[in-house]
Amino acid sequence: MFSLTVRDHMMIAHSFNSETFGPAQKLHGATYVVDVTFKRPELDQDDLVVDIGLAGETLKQVLSEFTLNNLDEIAEFKGRNTTTEFMAWVVFERLSHAIREGALGEGGRHLTALGVTLHESHIAWASYEGGL
């Protein structure tokens, strides 16, 4: 399996709704370093997994929805804890949709899997992976 990974980041604010989170129940900020790995079993005619420029641009567009926003104010997330794990899945879903809509061009149509990792610090991160 071949893979290509691109990286970007997003700065968000949020709070959590459970005693489990202790002081993080209060509004706080986070900067996530976001790695996305695109996978396919064979390279295309240009020996690429996918166009790296399109991959980076598409990731930036997906993250722009959240960057410098308070996730607590997004209606879709009402009642959810926007944990690192949950947000890895959200980014995966947004990217999967963009790929199906053709954002990565013809090369994107041959991707078979996608992995999204959100690094919340240099010692902790969470991922979501799935087929396309």
Side-chain angles (χ1 to χ4, degrees):
M1 185 71 67
F2 292 95
S3 66
L4 170 78
T5 301
V6 295
R7 175 175 278 183
D8 205 330
H9 73 284
M10 64 177 168
M11 296 180 288
I12 58 93
H14 64 167
S15 61
F16 296 126
N17 303 310
S18 171
E19 301 263 336
T20 301
F21 298 101
Q25 293 175 85
K26 296 177 184 175
L27 185 64
H28 63 280
T31 299
Y32 292 111
V33 173
V34 182
D35 290 330
V36 176
T37 301
F38 302 89
K39 297 180 181 183
R40 63 187 282 175
E42 296 178 6
L43 298 176
D44 71 7
Q45 69 278 2
D46 294 317
D47 293 320
L48 297 172
V49 171
V50 71
D51 181 303
I52 195 170
L54 287 175
E57 288 172 22
T58 303
L59 175 58
K60 184 172 286 307
Q61 287 176 339
V62 166
L63 298 181
S64 70
E65 178 183 354
F66 310 116
T67 298
L68 299 177
N69 283 307
N70 181 348
L71 302 182
D72 297 347
E73 296 174 355
I74 298 176
E76 175 184 354
F77 301 154
K78 190 79 169 163
R80 297 297 308 255
N81 285 310
T82 51
T83 61
T84 307
E85 298 90 333
F86 176 78
M87 290 307 296
W89 173 77
V90 168
V91 171
F92 173 92
E93 288 295 313
R94 300 291 204 281
L95 280 170
S96 296
H97 177 75
I99 291 167
R100 286 191 301 275
E101 294 294 310
L104 298 182
E106 185 58 33
R109 299 188 197 295
H110 299 283
L111 294 170
T112 58
L114 182 66
V116 176
T117 300
L118 270 62
H119 301 263
E120 65 176 79
S121 75
H122 65 288
I123 59 171
W125 54 89
S127 301
Y128 184 86
E129 297 180 20
L132 295 174

